[in-house]
Amino acid sequence: MGAVQDGVVVTGVVQWLTDPSHWSGDDGIPHRVVEHLVISGWAVLIAMVLALPPAIWLGHLGRGGSLLAAIGSVGRAIPTYAVIVTLALTDQVGVGAEAVVLALALFALPPILVNTYVAMSEVDPDVKDAARGMGMNAWQLVRRVELPLAFPLMFAGITTATVQVVATATFGALVGAGTLGQYIYLGYNNQDYDQLYAGVVLVALLCIILERLFALFRRLVTRRMGAVAGRGSDDRPALPAEPLPVSAP
Amino acid sequence: MGLPRWDETFVGPPNPWFSWRWVSRHTDVLRQAAVEHITLTAASVALAIVVAFPLALLARRVRRLEGPILAVAATVYTIPALALIASLYPVFGLRPLTVILPLALYALLVIIRNLLVGLDGVPPDVVDAAKGMGFSRRRLLWRVEMPLALPAILAGVRVATVSTIGLLTIGGFVGMGGFGTLINEGFQAAVGRAEVVTASLCCLLLALVADLMLVTLQRFLTPWARSRTASS
């Protein structure tokens, strides 16, 4: 406590970050970044595979909205850290990357479910009627009309989920799955504050860069789809009646 | 906190997921954790509200500042809680501020955004009518705009509170996380499944109870919005 003076910390962190030995090997920064992104990628992929089909289907039918809203609010109340630790304590999963992937996938479900549902159910009914009038069957309606129109908002949900997952993957360090959180964890345990702050800087940078990249990509996509969808000029992800939480980072 | 670690409650290898015996022998520990969890959550959300109000009013008064204020809040939001809490630990040590400050920052974004959404949602006709009746700017804000924005504001406080209760478990990493501290301890103990599961369930229960209480408060404070809330 009080052992930290700004100048000293900054030079220490810069020294730590520029030390070539911290950029190679299994404990090197590149390896930790890969670990971090692989865990996050699997989690988002699993969540998408689980969440998209039912949300698209329910959105197409326009039914089950309150059920999804309830899942959303219970999902928000579940502490991710508790889920990771509980999974790590099971005999089937155990400590390591699997526990983190599963917990994060669970955690990414609500934003994807809710946003996809809202996106699908908000497609202009007139457009759907017109498509039906042209003789489209349900499958064609979903594929050719509803999905393209719902895409910007669906993508916003996936973005929200991804950014959250990448931030939360930091916990991986606490259950032996590495990730960039490892530097924070070791730095804290060994009172090596240079390493701790270097870890904080790296994690924050990774999260902010990813968030910016997604925002950029979303703007590009929305601009292309916006002309068709007739909305989406708004840069922010559209929110359901009650602002969707970007829940626990 | 001088918490008793796993003790004679467990003899031998069985490591149950839940045990009433564990619960009954650790009621004090659980109560202490609950008090800490509630206090830290309340302090964080209260701090966020106190900071959010002037910022939101400033953003409304000077529209040019709205973008930057929301952008800064959103950037802070992307930084993982573990990183923020761990980075404050060397500065404040084992003091409540180490967890309250980061959690208040996270709650801030949600509350500011909902404040702005709520205030922007006030029908212009109503504002015009109030102005025509000679309401001063301050009276307009407190008597007309705030009450009409209340449902959105309370929805924000609700989301912020529930998220904060979950996030606080991360404070267990530095030994200041209410139930999170117990989760951490149970994870490190040789026989700690019951401790982890009990603490996790308590945390979930606390979040659901807080949610329910805030919904009730919302209904009570804004009876005119009931039909709208029910339909949304």
Side-chain angles (χ1 to χ4, degrees), chain B residues 53-78:
Chain B
F53 258 86
L55 279 179
L57 294 182
L58 184 70
R60 242 165 68 86
R61 188 69 64 89
V62 189
R63 277 291 170 177
R64 252 180 314 144
L65 288 178
E66 183 177 350
I69 288 178
L70 284 175
V72 170
T75 306
V76 172
Y77 206 91
T78 53

Side-chain angles (χ1 to χ4, degrees), chain B residues 3-19:
Chain B
L3 301 174
R5 281 302 189 83
W6 61 291
D7 43 35
E8 76 283 2
T9 317
F10 297 117
V11 182
N15 189 0
W17 287 105
F18 190 81
S19 136

Side-chain angles (χ1 to χ4, degrees), chain A residues 24 29 35 40 51 56 60 70 74-75 82 95 99 110 120 134 149 154 156 161 167 201 208 215 220-221 226 229:
Chain A
S24 61
I29 294 167
E35 266 176 346
S40 310
I56 289 173
H60 167 72
V74 172
V95 291
M120 288 292 289
M134 286 167 68
L149 288 176
M154 277 172 63
V201 169
I208 291 170
L220 288 176
V221 169

